Amino acid sequence: MTYRLFLFIALSFLLLQCTPTQGENKSDPKPEVKNVILLIGDGMGVSQVYSGITANKSLNMEKAQFVGLSKTYSANDYITDSAAGGTALATGTKTNNGAIGVDENGNAVKSILEYAAENGLSTGLVASCAITHATPASFVAHQLKRGMQEEIAVDFVNSDITLFIGGGRKYFVDREDKQNLLPQLEAKGFKVALDMESVMNTESGKLAALIADEHPATYPERGEFLPESVGKALELLKDNEKGFFLMVEGSQIDWGGHANEVEYTVNEVIDFDRAVKVAFDFADQNPGTLVVVTADHETGAMSITGGDLSKGEVNVSWGSSGHSAIMVPVFSYGTAAIEFAGIYENTDIFKKILELYNF
Ligand code: MG
Ligand code: ZN
């Protein structure tokens, strides 16, 4: 007994000596964040989330530990598009609608993914649309217009990203300049995967997965694409001792909103939420992981005018076939989740993550 007590005291003393002071300011210690998973439901406002909760009885998003609200306006418009919205989240800079990873004057601004890569972390993007589309593009590309998807594909080749999984193959192979970018990706050490079987049997290393010519199908037609891709991405990224940054986009919630189709919207929210579960489960098993679930803007000015919880039905009224200006939710989970409580600018999400990584 005395020996055990001695060992306990000695170990406690050693632990106290070895515990590093976290952050620069000792009076304000921030928990150490190693991995960040940022999930963006494109066009996902509170009505979209609650429609999903009603239709599905519950969503994993409800397990969020803290909730915030983000103001989404862009540099030149009260209502943002996904390019300016993605750029705000990725780079902490409000820019003009349509711009990808550049400021109002067209100057490139560094993204959180680029900061992470620079600091030796692994990085990844998963999207249920073309990987060159506005939201994922904002994290690696720097182009004046979101429509410049062939230029954005070149930015992917020239980036330091570890892996990406989505659609958009045609922007890499069927190009105006007749170049085929796939051999260039292979020359940079990527395994190129053109279907999910090839994605799922990847065991390590860099991965460039272009599983659709343009966009993956809608849900449920595309099956397990999104949650499986997120699971595989996490498996590959966690190999890095220094940590990782992963952005996951539920891209088509927005398209359900533009079409003013409740079923399309709700199905996409439910699928996106399955990816949220994969991220939350990873955070439970891997201390030092922060998960942030948010949106770039709301789409459709969707309101719920009635419904039935027992039948899982919602009655919806749409105020627009475009985006709206309403604030969007930010759900946070895991290490340092409390930092995302409150009401703030979309650009603050970048700033908070950058600060928590302590780069
Ligand atoms: Mg998008
Ligand atoms: Zn949209």
Side-chain angles (χ1 to χ4, degrees):
M1 280 306 279
T2 343
Y3 174 70
R4 284 192 186 174
L5 189 67
F6 169 75
L7 208 68
F8 175 75
I9 293 168
L11 275 171
S12 307
F13 182 74
L14 263 171
L15 272 172
L16 274 171
Q17 294 296 303
C18 296
T19 307
T21 45
Q22 290 163 329
E24 292 292 288
N25 187 350
K26 283 181 189 173
S27 64
D28 179 32
K30 291 237 167 67
E32 212 161 279
V33 171
K34 186 176 148 190
N35 310 314
V36 176
I37 309 170
L38 173 63
L39 296 109
I40 302 174
D42 196 314
M44 187 183 74
V46 172
S47 294
Q48 284 79 355
V49 173
Y50 195 57
S51 297
I53 289 172
T54 305
N56 203 47
K57 309 294 180 203
S58 70
L59 289 179
N60 294 291
M61 284 179 232
E62 292 176 74
K63 298 195 181 85
Q65 292 154 331
F66 294 93
V67 179
L69 290 168
S70 152
K71 303 176 196 175
T72 67
Y73 65 90
S74 70
N76 70 338
D77 205 316
Y78 186 58
I79 296 180
T80 190
D81 80 325
S82 293
T87 299
L89 295 168
T91 72
T93 304
K94 297 244 186 200
T95 191
N96 296 335
N97 285 3
I100 299 287
V102 296
D103 66 15
E104 280 177 276
N105 303 313
N107 302 311
V109 273
K110 202 185 289 180
S111 76
I112 188 71
L113 187 149
E114 291 168 320
Y115 275 102
E118 234 180 54
N119 282 273
L121 280 71
S122 290
T123 57
L125 294 175
V126 174
S128 50
C129 68
I131 204 71
T132 49
H133 208 257
T135 312
S138 299
F139 288 81
V140 296
H142 305 280
Q143 298 293 342
L144 295 176
K145 292 285 163 213
R146 58 185 289 170
M148 299 164 73
Q149 292 193 75
E150 295 187 359
E151 289 82 354
I152 289 166
V154 174
D155 285 349
F156 268 85
V157 176
N158 294 328
S159 77
D160 287 323
I161 196 168
T162 312
L163 65 87
F164 54 93
I165 308 172
R169 186 171 58 233
K170 71 178 195 180
Y171 301 106
F172 291 77
V173 301
D174 184 18
R175 300 165 51 83
E176 286 280 319
D177 63 11
K178 304 291 178 205
Q179 282 196 69
N180 182 349
L181 303 185
L182 300 189
Q184 295 183 30
L185 284 167
E186 282 166 347
K188 292 202 77 179
F190 286 96
K191 170 185 170 178
V192 174
L194 300 179
D195 55 44
M196 276 311 279
E197 199 191 334
S198 178
V199 169
M200 294 312 284
N201 65 32
T202 305
E203 296 299 334
S204 64
K206 290 165 69 170
L207 172 66
L210 300 163
I211 62 106
D213 196 40
E214 178 92 65
H215 305 301
T218 57
Y219 184 75
E221 285 71 31
R222 67 172 177 270
E224 299 308 300
F225 166 76
L226 195 59
E228 280 189 1
S229 296
V230 174
K232 177 53 76 174
L234 291 172
E235 186 191 317
L236 296 173
L237 294 172
K238 74 179 285 218
D239 283 346
N240 189 331
E241 290 281 303
K242 288 186 173 172
F244 64 78
F245 173 80
L246 173 66
M247 193 286 292
V248 176
E249 187 195 18
S251 316
Q252 301 192 30
I253 299 167
D254 178 60
W255 303 348
H258 282 292
N260 287 182
E261 284 178 18
V262 183
E263 201 181 332
Y264 187 0
T265 306
V266 166
N267 283 342
E268 290 293 334
V269 168
I270 289 170
D271 186 45
F272 177 64
D273 186 65
R274 301 191 308 150
V276 170
K277 176 176 170 34
V278 176
F280 282 4
D281 287 350
F282 182 91
D284 286 341
Q285 292 147 18
N286 296 272
T289 302
L290 163 69
V291 185
V292 178
V293 184
T294 189
D296 49 355
H297 53 74
E298 192 275 344
T299 303
M302 181 189 195
S303 57
I304 304 174
T305 54
D308 188 322
L309 283 166
S310 63
K311 292 182 188 150
E313 287 174 3
V314 281
N315 306 323
V316 159
S317 149
W318 300 93
S320 167
S321 62
H323 301 167
S324 79
I326 195 164
M327 293 190 288
V328 293
V330 185
F331 304 117
S332 56
Y333 189 86
T335 305
I338 193 170
E339 300 296 325
F340 293 83
I343 300 175
Y344 41 82
E345 301 289 344
N346 53 3
T347 46
D348 288 341
I349 295 172
F350 161 89
K351 290 169 189 164
K352 288 172 193 291
I353 295 173
L354 191 70
E355 192 179 325
L356 288 167
Y357 268 134
N358 211 2
F359 292 151

